[in-house]
Each structure stands twice: as structure tokens, then as C-alpha cells.
Amino acid sequence: MTTTRYLEIADELAAELAGAPAGSRLDGEHGIGRRFGVGRAAARAALQELERRLLVRRVQGAGTFVNRRIDYTISHDRRPSWHETVAAAGAHPRTVVRGIEALPLPTEHAAALGLPAGTPCHRLERQSYIDDLLAARVDEWVPVDLVADLDLAVQAAESLDVVLRQVARVDPVRAWCRVSLDVPPPAVCAGLEIEPSRPVWLVESVSRDAASGRPVMCSRSWMRSDAVRVVVELGSIPEGE
């Protein structure tokens, strides 16, 4: 067997995956080895190559699945909403609450929300999915006086943007945002099910009410780079381009 055989296998599989739905399961190393008449090492190398191309995702204990990386677009004319942004990219969004509690607002978030440190706020920890594949870990802070029973509200509506609009009667718009590529803390890596050395997108954001200008939420989102490509759009496109 030539040393490039695994690349030939990866190319053939990549062509087949072009029309496969996201989340579809692939054959494992044994199945690929039998199909192409190669050993387990070559089959593993082919799957690793597909993973490097961001075409598949290998989930420990579950298998290998078709991956679809979407553009997560941040711009002034888009709501600061995970659900709406993912849906606009043609994918299926889902979020799961991992923890919610009322806590004194830490000093590091006080300036962002324009509130004194120690102000009662909800801290919301969530996992976000795209086409049922894990995509992000999110840490959000919302003032208690804005939505008193946030724990009940997020059970009725997965989207925090919808909760703020329907319950708090505000119109959240993104007032500040910072995007970077970084290696997350160990706890976040575990939550994202990635190895500790893999960099991910870090999106930090503050949202205000469009009418009053009041800060209504600040967030820190760690997004898997194999799930999204963060696209920041500023200004407007000149005519003719």
C-alpha cells in the first residue's frame, strides 16, 4: 500500500459526504478497512484526514458523524440570538440548560452591565447544539429584576432572546462584541468534549434594549471551530460590489 492511500480513501469518502445530512453516522475504522481493503491504521488516518478537513466529527464512545460547519454571522442587523443566527444559516439550533442560579454580579461583569458589583443577577450556563451536534458552551448574566423567574421562562422557550422579548418586554441588540480564537479552560474543554489543546472561538457580548439603552445581558460563548466559522460584518457593502 502506498503512503498516500489514506488520502485517496479520504477523497472518495469526502465526495460521498457532500450530499449526506449533518449528523449522519459513518462506518468505523473496521468498516472502512474492509471496504477499501486496508488495515486499521490506514482507515484511521483517512478518518483523521476527514476530521482535519472539518467534514466529520469523531465522538468518543459514539462514532464518527457527518459534520457541517456553518457561518455564525455577527452584525448590527442581526439579533443577538443563537437560535435565530443558526436557523438563518440553514441549520437546526438547540440549547440545553446546565445550570441557572441567582448570584451577586461579579466585578468583572459589573461594568459591562452598568450595574454595581453584587447586584442580584441570574447566571445561566447552557450547552448549544447545531443539527444535534455539540457546538458551544455559554455563560450568560441577566439582571434578576428584568426576569424574576428566568428558570421557569427558559423551560418554556429555549431562546433567551425570545424570553427577554416576551417576558421582559425589551428589544435586545448587540451593543458590544469581541471575538478571539483561544484555548479554553479545562472545564470548558470537557464541556465541549474536545482535547485540552484545541483552540475554539470565544465570543464575548453585551446586549442592550434598543429603546432605553439599558444593558439586559452579557455573555461569554465558547464555540467549537469545527462547528462554526464566526463571521463579523461591519458597515455596509458599497454599491456595485
Side-chain angles (χ1 to χ4, degrees):
M1 184 188 72
T2 64
T3 57
T4 59
R5 178 57 175 150
Y6 79 94
L7 292 175
E8 296 170 356
I9 295 172
D11 288 341
E12 185 169 339
L13 291 173
E16 295 175 0
L17 297 180
S24 301
R25 187 168 181 170
L26 276 71
D27 285 337
E29 294 173 4
H30 290 295
I32 291 175
R34 287 194 301 269
R35 174 183 169 184
F36 291 96
V38 296
R40 188 171 182 179
R44 182 185 300 116
L47 288 176
Q48 290 172 339
E49 176 62 22
L50 291 176
E51 193 172 20
R52 280 193 291 269
R53 298 181 191 181
L54 305 176
L55 297 177
V56 303
R57 184 184 301 185
R58 308 183 79 182
V59 180
Q60 186 174 6
T64 302
F65 302 87
V66 176
N67 186 57
R68 178 170 58 153
R69 191 169 181 244
I70 69 166
D71 282 353
Y72 187 89
T73 304
I74 297 172
S75 67
H76 289 301
D77 60 353
R78 289 178 182 260
R79 291 182 179 179
S81 165
W82 170 266
H83 284 72
E84 185 167 303
T85 303
V86 172
H92 173 67
R94 182 168 65 91
T95 57
V96 176
V97 175
R98 293 304 182 193
I100 182 170
E101 56 184 333
L103 295 171
L105 182 65
T107 302
E108 64 176 309
H109 299 303
L113 284 176
L115 296 171
T119 300
C121 285
H122 297 289
R123 183 192 181 193
L124 185 61
E125 296 177 274
R126 297 192 293 172
Q127 281 183 331
S128 299
Y129 295 79
I130 297 174
D131 293 327
D132 290 325
L133 290 176
L134 181 60
R137 290 279 293 189
V138 188
D139 186 12
E140 296 153 312
W141 291 85
V142 178
V144 168
D145 69 334
L146 200 61
V147 184
D149 299 316
L150 185 60
D151 54 339
L152 299 178
V154 294
Q155 292 180 22
E158 284 188 18
S159 171
L160 181 57
D161 182 74
V162 169
V163 169
L164 291 173
R165 291 175 186 278
Q166 295 185 351
V167 179
R169 302 298 181 184
V170 294
D171 179 14
V173 294
R174 188 174 276 110
W176 174 84
C177 183
R178 179 168 60 194
V179 179
S180 58
L181 193 65
D182 206 348
V183 176
V188 175
C189 289
L192 287 173
E193 299 176 1
I194 59 173
E195 58 271 21
S197 60
R198 180 185 295 186
V200 301
W201 295 109
L202 171 59
V203 179
E204 300 169 278
S205 182
V206 175
S207 296
R208 296 177 180 268
D209 175 36
S212 67
R214 173 187 174 175
V216 296
M217 185 265 291
C218 67
S219 67
R220 179 176 294 166
S221 303
W222 298 92
M223 303 182 184
R224 291 181 56 138
S225 55
D226 60 354
V228 301
R229 182 181 71 151
V230 177
V231 178
V232 179
E233 295 180 347
L234 298 175
S236 57
I237 300 175
E239 293 185 9
E241 294 193 9

